[in-house]
Structure formats: C-alpha cells, structure tokens
DNA sequence: CGTGGTGTC
C-alpha cells in the first residue's frame, strides 16, 4: 500500500495523523477502558535501555504514551508472555485488531535475559513496518531509524534501511527477512523473530515459517544455532491448532534424529517415536488476547441479489435517509465492491441520485478507492467531509487490510472479491470474481466497529454466509510457485517436495514450477540450482524477468541497461494511466504518440523510461502531459537504481551500451532476451486472425491496453498472460516466428 | 473485436 509513502508531509498535522491509519493498536486511545497495569511492567526496560542522549521531550512523550499502553488489552499479559517464552521457544499469540500486540510484544521481550541481540518483527506491508517502528520508538522514548546511531528501534523495507548498530527492535517486511535468511540462514543477529499478521498467509510468510521451523531448536535438540531462536507467531484469527502442530512436528522429528537415528525407517508413524511413559509435551505455547472493537450489528439480505450495484445503491440511500448524521460521531459508509468498473458505476449512480435530494437532507459524497487510483484521489478518503455531508467510500478489498478508512460506521459488503488463481495446466493466471471467505467477511464487517458501534449490511443471505469457506485459500496454494521454489533452492533446500509447508501445494503445481525453472536453466537436469539460477535468485524479480536480465548481460546481447529499464517498468503497476472517457483516450493517444513503438509494448516502455529519466526540469509535469502515472514512474526509477546497483555488485554491468536511439540490431537483441525468459509466452498468428501459443496451442488475444492491440503480426512474445473475460496477452512485442522457433529448440 | 483484486524482495 503506497498511499502514505510519497505524500506524507511531516509538517502537516493531518499527515501525522494519517501515519497511524494502518496501526492495529491505539487507534482509539480516548475510549474508556479499565486499565489493569502490572506492577512489574515493561517500564523497567526504559531504565535498562535508557540512552544518555534521550532528549527530555521524548521522555515526556514516552510517559504520556504509557497511559494508553496500559489500557491495551495485551498489557496485563506481559508477564505471562515472558514466562511462556522462558519455558518454550515458540509462542502462538492470537490477538484481534486493537489488542496492541504489534507494538507491545517486542517491548515486553526486550528486558529478557535470553534477549541479548535484536528482535525482528515482520509485517506484510512497508507502511506498517515504518509506522510501527516510529510508534514503538515514541513509546520507548528514543530516536528511531537513522535519526541517531544510538536509536534502539529501526525498520528495514525495500529502498529504505533505517537501522543502526544499536537497533534492538527491527520492524521489517517479510520480503526483507527472507532476503536476510538467504544471506545468513541461521539468523545469527537475532534473539527472536516475531511474525505478525500470519493470518494473511502471504507466500512470504509461508516460506518464513518453513525456514524458521528448522531454527527454533538449540544444539541439544539438533538445531544448528548455539542459542535457540525464540519465535512468536501472531495472528488475528484463531488458527492456533495448525500452527502449534506445525512447530511441534519439527521438534518431534529432530528429537527422533537424536535418540534413535538408526532405528527410524520409512513408513513409521510419528506416534511411534514418543515414549509410552511420558506423553509428548508440546513445545509451543499459546496465548489469546482480546481485541478492542465496538459491537457491529450484521444484517443479511432475505433473498440473494444478483445486482450488487443496485442493492448497494438502495442501502446507501436507506442509511442516508434514516440514520442521523451528527458532527461529533462517525457516520460514513464503506462499501466493498469487486473492482474499478463496479466502483465507477456505483459512484455515478450515487452522485446522480444525490443531486435530487431534498435541500434539508445532508449531502452525500461518493469517493472511489482502489490501488490504481492516483495518489491525491486516494487521499480524499482521509479528508473530512464538508459540513453536513456523509462520505460514501466505494472500495475494493484494499480497505480490508491495507488502508484503514476513518469515520466509518456503516459497512456494505457485496461478499465477493477478485481472486487471482494460477492454472498449472495452462500456465496462466485467472482473475475471477469469487465469494470471499467467512474470515474476510468478518474482517469487512469489523470495519464498521472501529470508532463506535456500527452496522454491516451484507448483500447476501445468511445461508450465503454459511456456505462460504472458513478461510481464504492461502496464496501459496493458488500462485505460480517458481519464485518460491527458486528461493528454497537458493537457501539450500534440495528436496523442495519435502519442505515443511503449513499448507502443501499440490504436487502438480510444484512440478510445473520445477519444469519452468528447468526451461529457464535456473536448475540443472538433476534439479540442483545452476549458476544462472543463483544469479536470478539474487534479484528482486520473478524468475522469468530475472532470466531476461541475466540474458541481457551476456556479451552477444549486451543490452543490460535497456533490459533493466524495461524490467523495472514491468515490475510496477501500469505506468500508463487508465482513461475512462473516449475523449480523454484520444487525447492521450496523441500525447503518447512519440513514446509508442511499433515493435510493441516493451520498446514503448523503454522509450518512456528513457524520456522520463532524461527529463531534468519537471518530471511530474512531463507525466501529466503524457498521461503517465508519476507515482508508478517514481517506483520504476527506484527499482531501476536498485537493479543497476545489484548488477554492478555482481560485476554484470561491464559494458555501458546505452544508446538512446537503439539500432534495429540492438532492438533485436533486447527482444531476444525477452524471448529467453518468456519462451512459454509466445504465440503465432493463425489463418483466422487469432493467436495460438506455440507451447500449449492456447488461443490468446492481445489486450486492449497494448500498443499492438488489433494488429496482425507473424508472432508475438508477451510478459503477462491473464484470464479475465478471455485469455489476454499483456506486455506484447512483435517477433519473427523463426526467432521463437530457434529459442524453443535451444531450450526444449 | 474492448480491460488490470491486493501486497512484497
């Protein structure tokens, strides 16, 4: 979530307030709460870690914050949490929104005797890592990040490492911890790793859990670390059992290795390993903490509805006309829809109807919210509505986890979301509208009870709710596994089929990914990682894009800088703005004409990145003139810089062939590199004018957003293959059929 | 002939 990233203005009070929109602690510090302070609470740690330089205003702020910390539901559990971790190495902690777990648990552990080194705490999103670090530093009364070398709290996210030699609490994104695990498998710099938001079950969290499982035991139990690592797994949903089982199984097998290594053979059930005299003692502690949430009344439809836009419209006006709007209580509506199209349709309807409201009734303001929306438009949800106006935020599931919308009292939930699913057989992703899970529905409902008691209107029946899956299918069960498996291979996991997965992906999916890696020459025939594979794994890229990069560095190709520009542009969301009206589209076409290249989208991206990079006076204005997303281009430049640095470090960037007007020969070299990474994403023109993939004979169409849309070309290569209403090729370049056949023969 | 839920290294 990038809402706050480039716009937060430290000088503005409003911006300061915004930083906290993603915290799950202390968002409602002024509500009445029975405080239950512990006499030997973590205040002790302040003395222990007190720095001589801590300025007075920081200490004053620390003492003020202590009051609200004491009111957090997790506060009374501090001693119990410390106690459990003294006895056992793993703690599974369940705590709903508002329990204070993300900010308090690291502070509870700092003063422990076993805590000699740093505590890592992972977050799925960058903004959360940064804002939590800032908050914890405030609470501890110290500077944070790179403000001072003495800072005890820091964070590490891509493009921004704000840690120092004295960092004791380090918030970092899951991706960053994985990178550290690749470099230093035993994590010697940490005494504890806290994995937060595990219930979201990102692929990265699943990999982290698998890797951590082998680290929790000390040498006496077969672990490779001298001092065992303490691990805290934090989740908002009560999926404790699976996690406890997961971590107990590891210790079980390690003890087996210790005690009867010669006896154990295949086919033995794990039950046989435990001594009959003493039942297996769990090596995992559990702890449950209440959340802090106001009650929400949930209302289902009596009959199923097909048309959510219409049903939502009715309910919006029903709420608006019946429920009073007061100045000092939240009364805004948050409506969950599936995508930009439904959001914009409903936005128009709400605005049309709102025009005809009686003059004595408060106004309605419809605000769309989705990730592709420009920054300033997203920021509107944080601004106060004009007087006597009710906001209606029409959102994708971005408001489910990534953005906390303030002032909401009513939630309307269509009960669906777009879900990406990788299809092994076709090797493509589908983006389909599917019912959400019960836990997602509960999460959406909860958004009505953040500030006061609220109401949730579900655009489905109670039976519909009961029929939903309990939990959202973990991402690792529905994604392309090639990146995950390459990470595992790079970390020395030879037998990826035997890797400890919390949820094991189907064998077919893993085999498909292994084949893919083999075709990329990232693995050798025997399945071990190749030099090429090792190189690819070092880059923050998918294996396919990584392969393009490696290919571009070989002397015959010699087009690395161009490849980096293209890859950077492919790594972010669409850099060309999405325009709705026909008029604007024509306008954009004219403005972008000098950027478009007949070779296709990749050379067009290259031209765009080049022109943007060359623009020295006003890049933002340049973007506006060309209908290009400035935010996306800033991300492109960050990635470009990082990739150039990494290539220099790996000594891949020897030549500086960087001609601004590439010759045909040079263009062909670039396209050959793309072909090398995306050989399975190639198609040829059929006599009937359609395209069929060379591997798989699947019909594809060039996406309407491509510069080659509607063109008839001998053969194409594409970097994205998505199924929505039909199979689309996005990111398309024209190539010669004999090139494609040449690479296919070389690889297969 | 017609379109992209949300993150991350």
């Amino acid at each position: 979530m990038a809402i706050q990233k480039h716009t937060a203005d430290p000088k503005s009070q409003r911006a300061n307030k915004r930083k906290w929109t993603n915290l799950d602690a202390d968002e409602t510090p002024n509500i009445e709460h029975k405080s239950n302070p512990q006499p030997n609470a973590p205040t002790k740690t302040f003395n222990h870690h007190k720095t001589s330089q801590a300025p007075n205003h920081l200490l004053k702020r620390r003492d003020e914050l202590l009051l609200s910390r004491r009111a957090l539901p997790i506060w009374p559990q501090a001693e119990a949490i410390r106690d459990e971790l003294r006895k056992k190495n793993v703690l599974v902690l369940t705590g709903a929104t508002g329990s204070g777990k993300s900010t308090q648990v690291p502070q509870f552990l700092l003063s422990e005797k076993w805590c000699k080194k740093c505590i890592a705490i992972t977050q799925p999103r960058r903004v959360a890592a940064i804002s939590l670090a800032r908050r914890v530093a405030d609470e501890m009364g110290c500077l944070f990040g790179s403000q001072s070398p003495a800072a005890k709290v820091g964070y590490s996210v891509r493009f921004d490492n704000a840690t120092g030699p004295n960092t004791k609490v380090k918030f970092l994104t899951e991706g960053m911890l994985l990178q550290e695990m690749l470099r230093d498998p035993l994590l010697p710099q940490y005494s504890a790793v806290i994995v937060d938001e595990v219930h979201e079950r990102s692929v990265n969290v699943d990999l982290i859990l698998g890797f951590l499982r082998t680290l929790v035991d000390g040498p006496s139990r077969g672990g490779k670390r001298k001092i065992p690592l303490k691990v805290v797994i934090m989740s908002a949903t009560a999926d404790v059992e699976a996690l406890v089982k997961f971590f107990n199984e590891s210790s079980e097998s390690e003890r087996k290795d210790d005690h009867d290594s010669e006896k154990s053979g295949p086919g033995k059930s794990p039950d046989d390993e435990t001594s009959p005299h003493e039942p297996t003692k769990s090596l995992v502690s559990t702890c449950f903490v209440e959340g802090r949430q106001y009650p929400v009344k949930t209302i289902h439809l009596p009959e199923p509805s097909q048309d959510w836009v219409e049903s939502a419209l009715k309910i919006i006006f029903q709420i608006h006309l019946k429920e009073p709007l007061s100045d000092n209580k939240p009364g805004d509506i948050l409506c969950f829809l599936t995508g930009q199209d439904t959001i914009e349709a409903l936005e128009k309807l709400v605005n049309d109807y709102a025009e005809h409201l009686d003059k004595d009734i408060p106004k309605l303001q419809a605000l769309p919210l989705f990730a592709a929306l420009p920054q300033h438009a997203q920021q509107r949800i944080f601004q106060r509505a004009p007087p006597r106006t009710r906001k209606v935020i029409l959102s994708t599931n971005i408001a489910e986890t990534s953005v906390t919308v303030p002032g909401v009292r009513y939630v309307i939930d269509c009960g669906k979301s777009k879900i990406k699913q990788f299809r092994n057989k076709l090797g493509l992703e589908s983006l389909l509208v599917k019912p959400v899970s019960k836990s997602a529905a509960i999460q959406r409902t909860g958004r009505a009870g953040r500030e006061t008691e609220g109401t949730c209107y579900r655009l489905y029946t109670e039976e519909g709710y009961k029929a939903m899956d309990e939990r959202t299918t973990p991402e690792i069960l529905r994604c392309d596994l090639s990146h995950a498996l390459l990470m595992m291979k790079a970390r020395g996991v030879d037998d990826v089929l035997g890797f400890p997965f919390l949820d094991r992906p189907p064998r077919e999916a893993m085999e498909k990914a292994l084949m893919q890696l083999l075709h990329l020459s990232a693995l050798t025939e025997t399945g071990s990682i190749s030099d090429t594979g090792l190189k690819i794994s070092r880059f923050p890229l998918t294996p396919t894009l990584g392969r393009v990069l490696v290919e571009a560095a070989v002397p015959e190709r010699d087009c690395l800088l161009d490849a980096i520009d293209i890859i950077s542009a492919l790594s972010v969301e669409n850099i060309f703005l999405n325009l709705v009206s026909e008029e604007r589209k024509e306008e954009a076409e004219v403005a972008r004409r000098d950027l478009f290249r007949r070779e296709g989208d990749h050379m067009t991206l290259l031209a765009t990145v080049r022109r943007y990079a060359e623009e020295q006076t006003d890049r933002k204005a340049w973007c506006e003139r060309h209908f290009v997303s400035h935010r996306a281009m800033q991300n492109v430049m960050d990635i470009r810089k990082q990739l150039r640095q990494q290539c220099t470090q790996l000594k891949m960037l020897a030549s500086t062939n960087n001609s601004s007007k590439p010759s045909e020969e040079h263009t062909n070299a670039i396209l050959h590199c793309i072909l090398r990474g995306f050989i399975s994403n190639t198609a040829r023109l059929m006599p009937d004018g359609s395209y069929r993939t060379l591997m798989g004979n699947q019909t594809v169409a060039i996406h309407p957003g491509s510069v080659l849309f509607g063109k008839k070309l001998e053969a194409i290569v594409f970097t994205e293959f998505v199924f929505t209403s039909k199979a689309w090729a996005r990111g398309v370049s024209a190539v010669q059929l004999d090139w494609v056949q040449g690479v296919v023969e070389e690889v297969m």
Side-chain angles (χ1 to χ4, degrees):
Chain A
M1 213 290 298
I3 281 200
Q4 290 93 341
K5 193 185 167 196
H6 292 293
T7 54
D9 173 9
K11 280 171 265 176
S12 125
Q13 281 298 316
R14 180 162 291 282
N16 274 329
K17 205 173 169 199
R18 249 187 262 130
K19 285 169 200 156
W20 303 108
T21 52
N22 281 301
L23 286 190
D24 76 350
D26 257 27
E27 288 181 2
T28 51
N30 49 354
I31 62 166
E32 290 276 328
H33 212 277
K34 267 190 192 165
S35 73
N36 190 1
Q38 287 255 312
N40 57 347
T43 29
K44 278 205 299 195
T45 60
F46 299 140
N47 299 328
H48 183 66
H49 293 282
K50 192 169 162 184
T51 64
S52 49
Q53 304 108 308
N56 267 336
H57 70 275
L58 291 181
L59 301 177
K60 195 172 159 237
R61 171 98 176 118
R62 177 195 78 188
D63 295 340
E64 284 164 13
L65 288 172
L66 189 56
L67 290 172
S68 50
R69 293 178 60 201
R70 282 182 172 148
L72 289 168
I74 199 160
W75 187 264
Q77 307 265 12
E79 197 48 48
I81 288 168
R82 281 191 283 259
D83 223 44
E84 290 298 336
L85 276 171
R86 276 173 216 149
K87 288 185 280 191
K88 296 172 184 182
N89 291 337
V90 184
L91 170 67
V92 177
L93 192 149
T94 314
T97 307
S99 61
K101 60 186 185 324
S102 311
T103 51
Q104 302 313 304
V105 172
Q107 296 186 70
F108 293 163
L109 304 183
L110 264 182
S111 56
E112 288 294 281
K113 243 169 68 187
W114 52 261
C115 192
K116 296 252 177 6
K117 295 175 184 167
C118 187
I119 299 176
I121 169 159
T122 68
Q123 291 296 319
R125 284 164 289 276
R126 291 183 207 159
V127 262
I130 297 170
S131 55
L132 284 166
R134 185 176 283 127
R135 174 69 179 195
V136 169
D138 277 355
E139 290 186 1
M140 286 170 57
C142 63
L143 294 163
F144 97 108
S146 39
Q147 290 174 329
S148 147
K152 299 240 177 310
V153 183
Y155 65 86
S156 173
V157 302
R158 190 177 185 180
F159 311 125
D160 193 3
N161 182 358
T163 56
N166 290 301
T167 302
K168 291 282 284 180
V169 178
K170 176 166 159 190
F171 287 89
L172 73 179
T173 49
E174 292 159 357
M176 284 309 260
L177 184 69
L178 271 176
Q179 288 299 312
E180 292 187 2
M181 286 177 143
L182 289 189
R183 285 197 301 270
D184 238 332
L186 300 183
L187 293 177
Q189 69 273 44
Y190 297 116
S191 294
V193 173
I194 303 173
V195 190
D196 202 3
E197 313 284 13
V198 166
H199 59 279
E200 290 189 22
R201 291 298 302 278
S202 63
V203 175
N204 283 344
V205 137
D206 280 22
L207 290 179
I208 286 173
L209 292 180
F211 290 149
L212 282 179
R213 222 181 78 160
T214 57
L215 289 184
V216 289
D217 287 333
S220 65
R221 288 215 180 90
K224 287 184 185 142
R225 276 177 61 111
K226 276 189 212 135
I227 303 157
L229 185 73
K230 301 284 181 182
V231 172
V232 183
I233 308 297
M234 306 208 294
S235 171
T237 50
D239 200 12
V240 179
E241 225 172 276
L243 289 163
V244 170
K245 189 163 170 267
F246 180 75
F247 277 96
N248 268 328
E249 270 169 5
S250 86
S251 308
E252 196 73 13
S253 62
E254 308 231 4
R255 273 179 300 172
K256 178 181 84 180
D257 290 345
D258 272 0
H259 296 309
D260 54 3
S261 44
E262 73 227 293
K263 270 198 294 177
S264 67
K268 243 179 152 190
S269 104
D271 292 344
D272 297 341
E273 310 310 336
T274 47
S275 151
H277 309 292
E278 206 183 323
T280 316
K281 240 170 80 184
S282 176
L283 297 161
V284 182
S285 294
T286 59
C287 178
F288 174 82
V289 188
E290 305 250 331
R292 202 163 60 181
Q293 176 86 15
Y294 292 92
V296 177
K297 189 175 159 194
T298 306
I299 299 168
H300 294 91
L301 286 186
E303 298 291 332
S305 158
Q306 297 302 317
D307 190 343
W308 326 306
V309 171
E310 191 199 306
S311 310
L313 184 69
K314 276 188 199 160
I315 293 174
I316 287 166
F317 280 90
Q318 183 191 316
I319 294 168
H320 189 54
L321 297 176
K322 279 192 191 158
E323 306 287 348
L325 187 64
S326 83
D327 286 341
N328 49 14
K329 271 211 157 189
D332 294 340
I333 302 169
L334 171 61
C335 183
F336 284 102
L337 296 163
T338 51
Q340 188 176 349
D341 50 347
T342 49
I343 286 171
E344 284 172 349
L346 185 55
E347 181 190 5
K348 191 173 182 305
L349 285 170
V350 170
N351 287 334
D352 286 353
Y353 279 85
E355 267 184 36
H356 300 105
L357 284 174
D358 274 2
K359 287 249 166 11
D360 51 338
I361 293 171
K363 294 197 178 86
L364 266 181
Q365 182 186 34
L367 298 173
L369 177 65
F370 46 89
L373 210 60
Q375 203 70 212
H376 60 92
Q378 289 191 4
Q379 292 295 344
R380 291 172 68 199
I381 64 156
F382 297 110
Q383 288 160 14
R384 267 185 83 113
R388 278 185 19 94
T389 305
R390 193 194 301 270
K391 286 195 285 192
V392 188
I393 292 105
L394 309 173
S395 174
T396 61
N397 45 6
I398 190 173
E400 210 174 284
T401 49
S402 302
V403 179
T404 300
V405 183
V408 173
R409 188 171 189 177
Y410 308 99
V411 163
I412 301 172
D413 173 20
C414 76
K416 312 269 178 184
S417 68
K418 284 189 181 172
I419 303 226
K420 195 151 68 183
Q421 180 106 36
F422 185 75
R423 298 200 205 170
N424 296 312
K425 281 204 186 117
L426 302 174
L428 61 65
E429 291 166 342
S430 330
L431 198 58
L432 298 174
V433 174
K434 287 200 157 181
V436 300
S437 65
K438 281 179 190 159
S439 68
I442 292 167
Q443 177 76 16
R444 291 176 172 195
T445 300
R447 293 293 174 180
R450 303 279 296 192
E451 294 170 35
T452 185
E453 62 289 345
T455 311
C456 175
Y457 298 86
R458 289 179 170 164
L459 303 181
Y460 43 95
T461 61
E462 200 161 353
E463 285 66 42
Y465 174 75
K466 283 177 186 155
M468 286 173 171
D469 292 339
E470 289 299 319
R471 268 177 278 279
T472 311
T473 307
E475 197 187 358
I476 201 153
L477 299 184
R478 45 186 179 82
C479 75
D480 175 6
L481 292 170
S482 53
H483 189 239
L485 296 195
L486 186 64
M487 294 279 277
M488 287 157 55
K489 289 278 184 185
R491 198 174 178 269
V493 178
D494 290 326
D495 174 22
V496 290
L497 297 176
F499 183 78
F501 287 102
L502 194 50
D503 281 287
R504 180 167 305 282
R507 203 191 168 88
E508 303 173 302
M510 292 208 257
E511 281 167 358
K512 176 85 191 176
L514 289 172
M515 283 303 286
Q516 159 88 302
L517 293 172
L518 189 66
H519 290 159
L520 293 172
S521 314
L523 298 181
T524 66
E525 291 290 329
T526 58
S528 58
I529 193 161
S530 66
D531 286 344
T532 300
L534 271 176
K535 267 188 194 154
I536 296 173
S537 74
R538 301 283 295 270
F539 290 100
L541 297 170
T542 58
T544 44
L545 286 177
R547 188 64 185 81
V548 176
L549 193 79
V550 170
E551 186 70 16
V554 305
E556 305 94 282
R557 304 294 185 210
D558 189 26
C559 54
L560 187 53
L561 288 171
D562 310 272
I564 286 174
D565 287 356
I566 295 168
I567 289 164
S568 305
L570 289 171
S571 301
V572 304
E573 78 274 35
N574 199 356
I575 64 172
F576 293 112
L577 290 175
N578 240 345
L579 302 162
V580 196
S581 74
E582 283 303 315
E583 205 180 304
R584 296 273 285 169
K585 268 182 199 170
E586 277 168 34
E587 211 182 310
E589 215 183 287
V590 176
R592 287 173 186 161
R593 198 163 286 164
D594 57 335
L595 300 175
F596 281 15
R597 294 287 174 272
R598 61 182 165 75
E599 294 91 347
D601 295 316
H602 303 112
M603 294 309 289
T604 299
L605 290 173
L606 177 59
T608 309
V609 174
R610 278 292 155 76
R611 289 284 303 280
Y612 179 89
E614 283 161 9
E615 176 64 39
Q616 297 300 334
T617 45
D618 191 345
R619 287 181 171 176
K620 195 155 184 276
W622 184 89
C623 284
E624 279 161 15
R625 278 204 305 281
H626 291 86
F627 297 88
V628 164
S629 160
H630 188 234
R631 175 179 60 171
M633 288 309 295
Q634 286 173 320
N635 291 334
V636 170
M637 297 306 277
D638 282 342
I639 295 170
R640 181 184 193 247
K641 189 175 153 198
Q642 186 184 37
L643 290 176
R644 285 182 171 206
Q645 273 172 357
Q646 285 179 316
C647 285
T648 307
Q649 278 165 14
L650 293 172
K651 305 208 178 356
M652 287 164 66
L653 200 56
S655 162
T656 48
N657 193 334
N658 192 18
S659 52
S660 58
K661 279 234 161 55
S663 64
E664 190 182 329
E665 196 192 340
H666 194 63
T667 301
N668 290 351
I670 295 168
L671 294 178
H672 267 99
C673 296
I674 295 172
L675 264 180
R676 186 59 191 84
F678 290 89
I679 194 62
S680 34
N681 286 9
T682 51
R684 60 192 295 181
L685 189 66
M686 305 308 283
D688 65 356
S690 69
Y691 289 93
R692 293 281 188 90
T693 59
L694 271 90
M695 298 164 69
N697 207 28
Q698 153 88 24
T699 304
V700 289
I702 297 176
H703 192 274
S706 168
V707 302
L708 297 181
F709 176 63
K711 297 274 194 306
K712 304 256 181 281
L713 306 148
E714 184 181 51
I716 52 170
V717 59
F718 44 96
T719 39
E720 212 181 334
F721 190 17
V722 198
F723 190 95
T724 49
S725 57
K726 60 181 186 179
W728 295 110
R730 296 174 65 193
V732 187
S733 277
V735 285
Q736 292 173 23
L737 188 55
D738 58 335
W739 297 358
V740 181
Q741 283 161 343
V743 184
V744 170
E745 273 163 35
E746 194 184 307
V747 172
M748 300 298 144

